[in-house]
Amino acid sequence: MRRYHDEEWGVPLYDDQKQFEFLMMEVMQCGLNWNMMIQKRDIFRKCFDAFDFDKVAAYGGEDIERIMNTDGMIKSPRKIQAVIHNARCFQEIRSEFGSFSSYIWKFTNGRTYLYMGHQKGAIPAKNGLSDLISKDLKTRGLKYMGSVTVYSHLQACGMINDHLESCFRYQELLDCSDTVLKRRDHEG
Protein backbone atom coordinates (compact mmCIF):
# COMPACT_ATOMS: atom_id res chain seq x y z
CA MET A 1 0.00 0.00 0.00
CA ARG A 2 2.76 2.44 0.91
CA ARG A 3 4.60 1.92 -2.38
CA TYR A 4 1.34 2.36 -4.32
CA HIS A 5 0.67 5.61 -2.43
CA ASP A 6 4.23 6.90 -2.70
CA GLU A 7 4.77 6.06 -6.37
CA GLU A 8 1.44 5.86 -8.21
CA TRP A 9 -1.64 7.18 -6.42
CA GLY A 10 -2.58 10.65 -7.52
CA VAL A 11 0.03 11.03 -10.25
CA PRO A 12 -1.58 12.47 -13.42
CA LEU A 13 -2.04 9.49 -15.71
CA TYR A 14 -2.34 9.66 -19.50
CA ASP A 15 -1.46 6.09 -20.52
CA ASP A 16 -4.59 4.22 -21.62
CA GLN A 17 -3.40 0.78 -20.56
CA LYS A 18 -2.70 2.09 -17.03
CA GLN A 19 -6.04 3.94 -17.05
CA PHE A 20 -7.74 0.64 -17.88
CA GLU A 21 -5.78 -1.20 -15.18
CA PHE A 22 -6.61 1.37 -12.50
CA LEU A 23 -10.28 1.53 -13.50
CA MET A 24 -10.70 -2.25 -13.65
CA MET A 25 -9.00 -2.67 -10.28
CA GLU A 26 -11.71 -0.34 -8.96
CA VAL A 27 -14.29 -2.64 -10.56
CA MET A 28 -12.75 -5.67 -8.86
CA GLN A 29 -12.61 -3.76 -5.56
CA CYS A 30 -16.36 -3.03 -5.36
CA GLY A 31 -17.50 -4.30 -1.96
CA LEU A 32 -13.97 -5.31 -0.93
CA ASN A 33 -10.99 -3.46 0.54
CA TRP A 34 -8.26 -1.75 -1.44
CA ASN A 35 -5.43 -3.50 0.39
CA MET A 36 -6.70 -6.80 -1.01
CA MET A 37 -6.63 -5.32 -4.53
CA ILE A 38 -3.00 -4.27 -4.15
CA GLN A 39 -2.11 -7.74 -2.83
CA LYS A 40 -3.88 -9.39 -5.80
CA ARG A 41 -2.61 -6.96 -8.44
CA ASP A 42 -0.14 -9.45 -9.96
CA ILE A 43 -2.90 -12.07 -10.13
CA PHE A 44 -5.16 -9.57 -11.95
CA ARG A 45 -2.35 -8.74 -14.36
CA LYS A 46 -1.81 -12.43 -15.07
CA CYS A 47 -5.53 -13.09 -15.55
CA PHE A 48 -6.17 -10.05 -17.76
CA ASP A 49 -3.03 -10.07 -19.96
CA ALA A 50 -1.44 -7.15 -18.07
CA PHE A 51 -4.70 -5.23 -18.63
CA ASP A 52 -4.24 -5.14 -22.39
CA PHE A 53 -7.78 -3.95 -23.17
CA ASP A 54 -7.65 -5.19 -26.79
CA LYS A 55 -6.81 -8.72 -25.66
CA VAL A 56 -9.36 -8.61 -22.82
CA ALA A 57 -12.09 -7.38 -25.21
CA ALA A 58 -11.62 -10.59 -27.24
CA TYR A 59 -12.09 -12.91 -24.24
CA GLY A 60 -14.79 -15.54 -24.29
CA GLY A 61 -16.21 -18.28 -22.08
CA GLU A 62 -12.95 -20.25 -21.90
CA ASP A 63 -11.14 -17.17 -20.62
CA ILE A 64 -13.77 -16.60 -17.92
CA GLU A 65 -13.31 -20.22 -16.81
CA ARG A 66 -9.51 -19.87 -16.87
CA ILE A 67 -9.69 -16.71 -14.75
CA MET A 68 -12.17 -18.27 -12.31
CA ASN A 69 -9.80 -21.22 -11.84
CA THR A 70 -6.73 -19.06 -11.17
CA ASP A 71 -5.42 -19.50 -7.62
CA GLY A 72 -5.96 -16.38 -5.53
CA MET A 73 -8.33 -14.75 -8.00
CA ILE A 74 -11.56 -13.15 -6.81
CA LYS A 75 -14.22 -15.69 -7.70
CA SER A 76 -16.86 -13.34 -9.08
CA PRO A 77 -18.03 -14.23 -12.58
CA ARG A 78 -20.04 -10.98 -12.73
CA LYS A 79 -16.96 -8.85 -12.06
CA ILE A 80 -14.85 -10.84 -14.51
CA GLN A 81 -17.54 -10.50 -17.18
CA ALA A 82 -17.77 -6.77 -16.37
CA VAL A 83 -14.04 -6.32 -16.96
CA ILE A 84 -14.36 -8.02 -20.36
CA HIS A 85 -17.45 -6.01 -21.25
CA ASN A 86 -15.79 -2.79 -20.08
CA ALA A 87 -12.76 -3.51 -22.28
CA ARG A 88 -15.08 -3.47 -25.29
CA CYS A 89 -16.66 -0.20 -24.15
CA PHE A 90 -13.17 1.18 -23.51
CA GLN A 91 -12.28 0.43 -27.14
CA GLU A 92 -15.37 2.33 -28.31
CA ILE A 93 -14.42 5.36 -26.22
CA ARG A 94 -10.90 5.24 -27.66
CA SER A 95 -12.35 5.05 -31.14
CA GLU A 96 -14.51 8.12 -30.54
CA PHE A 97 -11.99 10.29 -28.66
CA GLY A 98 -8.63 8.98 -29.87
CA SER A 99 -7.76 7.74 -26.39
CA PHE A 100 -9.50 7.04 -23.12
CA SER A 101 -7.24 9.61 -21.46
CA SER A 102 -8.46 12.31 -23.88
CA TYR A 103 -12.03 11.35 -23.03
CA ILE A 104 -11.71 11.37 -19.25
CA TRP A 105 -9.40 14.40 -18.94
CA LYS A 106 -11.84 16.51 -20.99
CA PHE A 107 -14.06 16.62 -17.90
CA THR A 108 -11.44 18.79 -16.15
CA ASN A 109 -10.03 20.46 -19.27
CA GLY A 110 -6.82 18.53 -18.66
CA ARG A 111 -6.31 19.98 -15.20
CA THR A 112 -6.01 18.39 -11.77
CA TYR A 113 -8.64 19.56 -9.31
CA LEU A 114 -7.72 20.48 -5.77
CA TYR A 115 -10.90 20.93 -3.75
CA MET A 116 -10.88 23.33 -0.84
CA GLY A 117 -10.90 21.37 2.41
CA HIS A 118 -9.72 18.05 0.97
CA GLN A 119 -6.07 18.73 1.80
CA LYS A 120 -7.20 19.12 5.43
CA GLY A 121 -8.84 15.67 5.41
CA ALA A 122 -12.47 16.55 4.51
CA ILE A 123 -12.53 14.04 1.65
CA PRO A 124 -15.89 12.79 0.35
CA ALA A 125 -16.55 9.36 -1.15
CA LYS A 126 -18.01 10.99 -4.28
CA ASN A 127 -18.80 14.43 -5.63
CA GLY A 128 -20.41 16.31 -8.50
CA LEU A 129 -17.55 15.54 -10.88
CA SER A 130 -17.64 11.81 -10.15
CA ASP A 131 -21.45 11.86 -10.48
CA LEU A 132 -21.13 13.44 -13.94
CA ILE A 133 -18.43 11.05 -15.18
CA SER A 134 -20.18 8.02 -13.66
CA LYS A 135 -23.38 8.89 -15.50
CA ASP A 136 -21.51 9.34 -18.77
CA LEU A 137 -19.58 6.07 -18.41
CA LYS A 138 -22.82 4.21 -17.67
CA THR A 139 -24.50 5.67 -20.77
CA ARG A 140 -21.51 4.34 -22.71
CA GLY A 141 -22.27 0.87 -21.30
CA LEU A 142 -19.56 0.45 -18.66
CA LYS A 143 -20.50 -1.63 -15.62
CA TYR A 144 -19.65 -1.16 -11.93
CA MET A 145 -19.18 2.56 -12.57
CA GLY A 146 -20.97 4.12 -9.62
CA SER A 147 -19.94 7.56 -8.46
CA VAL A 148 -17.87 6.21 -5.53
CA THR A 149 -15.91 3.92 -7.87
CA VAL A 150 -15.34 6.77 -10.31
CA TYR A 151 -14.26 9.16 -7.54
CA SER A 152 -11.65 6.62 -6.43
CA HIS A 153 -10.42 6.40 -10.00
CA LEU A 154 -10.18 10.18 -10.34
CA GLN A 155 -8.01 10.25 -7.21
CA ALA A 156 -5.84 7.37 -8.42
CA CYS A 157 -5.20 8.83 -11.89
CA GLY A 158 -4.41 12.31 -10.60
CA MET A 159 -7.48 14.17 -11.77
CA ILE A 160 -8.23 15.01 -8.15
CA ASN A 161 -5.37 15.69 -5.72
CA ASP A 162 -6.61 14.32 -2.41
CA HIS A 163 -3.26 13.96 -0.70
CA LEU A 164 -3.25 15.65 2.68
CA GLU A 165 -1.25 18.86 2.94
CA SER A 166 1.02 17.08 5.44
CA CYS A 167 1.84 14.33 2.89
CA PHE A 168 5.11 14.70 0.99
CA ARG A 169 3.26 13.82 -2.25
CA TYR A 170 0.87 16.79 -1.90
CA GLN A 171 3.37 19.46 -2.96
CA GLU A 172 5.23 17.16 -5.38
CA LEU A 173 2.01 16.58 -7.31
CA LEU A 174 1.06 20.26 -7.23
CA ASP A 175 4.44 21.02 -8.77
CA CYS A 176 4.08 18.49 -11.61
CA SER A 177 0.46 19.11 -12.60
CA ASP A 178 -1.70 21.89 -13.96
CA THR A 179 -3.84 22.30 -10.85
CA VAL A 180 -6.91 24.43 -10.33
CA LEU A 181 -8.42 25.13 -6.91
CA LYS A 182 -12.13 24.32 -6.81
CA ARG A 183 -14.74 25.20 -4.23
CA ARG A 184 -16.50 22.20 -2.74
CA ASP A 185 -19.88 23.58 -3.77
CA HIS A 186 -18.71 23.88 -7.41
CA GLU A 187 -17.44 20.36 -7.89
CA GLY A 188 -18.02 19.66 -11.54
Side-chain angles (χ1 to χ4, degrees):
M1 285 287 281
R2 178 160 298 280
R3 187 172 48 191
Y4 172 71
H5 168 272
D6 291 353
E7 297 173 9
E8 295 181 87
W9 189 74
V11 176
L13 182 62
Y14 303 97
D15 175 83
D16 277 6
Q17 189 164 337
K18 290 300 271 182
Q19 284 272 4
F20 184 69
E21 177 179 352
F22 279 24
L23 194 56
M24 293 309 106
M25 284 184 61
E26 296 291 352
V27 166
M28 296 304 291
Q29 188 266 333
C30 287
L32 303 170
N33 69 69
W34 189 249
N35 189 46
M36 179 188 296
M37 298 307 102
I38 295 299
Q39 291 172 353
K40 293 184 177 286
R41 193 175 193 183
D42 287 337
I43 296 169
F44 297 149
R45 286 175 174 160
K46 177 184 170 191
C47 288
F48 296 113
D49 280 299
F51 291 98
D52 180 325
F53 44 83
D54 288 325
K55 288 180 181 178
V56 174
Y59 284 3
E62 290 177 8
D63 295 293
I64 294 169
E65 188 174 326
R66 170 186 56 79
I67 293 167
M68 286 290 293
N69 290 323
T70 300
D71 287 339
M73 181 58 179
I74 294 170
K75 308 295 186 197
S76 172
R78 289 181 56 208
K79 286 183 180 181
I80 294 165
Q81 290 165 349
V83 170
I84 297 165
H85 173 82
N86 289 348
R88 295 170 185 148
C89 296
F90 198 87
Q91 288 177 316
E92 290 174 18
I93 291 170
R94 284 175 45 83
S95 217
E96 182 178 344
F97 292 92
S99 72
F100 183 82
S101 289
S102 294
Y103 158 77
I104 199 158
W105 280 96
K106 78 177 177 65
F107 287 96
T108 64
N109 294 317
R111 301 180 85 188
T112 296
Y113 284 1
L114 178 64
Y115 290 104
M116 294 169 62
H118 289 207
Q119 68 277 17
K120 304 279 189 219
I123 302 171
K126 64 180 187 158
N127 70 0
L129 179 63
S130 65
D131 289 346
L132 176 69
I133 296 172
S134 168
K135 182 178 178 183
D136 196 73
L137 287 169
K138 287 177 183 178
T139 63
R140 295 173 183 283
L142 278 87
K143 297 179 179 181
Y144 286 91
M145 288 296 131
S147 188
V148 172
T149 297
V150 170
Y151 189 87
S152 293
H153 181 68
L154 299 178
Q155 291 173 305
C157 74
M159 291 178 67
I160 296 175
N161 182 345
D162 270 348
H163 285 274
L164 298 177
E165 218 170 47
S166 59
C167 175
F168 77 97
R169 293 297 280 162
Y170 173 79
Q171 191 60 50
E172 284 181 3
L173 293 173
L174 283 181
D175 293 343
C176 79
S177 62
D178 183 11
T179 304
V180 62
L181 186 62
K182 301 287 277 184
R183 288 179 36 191
R184 289 183 63 177
D185 58 342
H186 292 93
E187 296 168 323

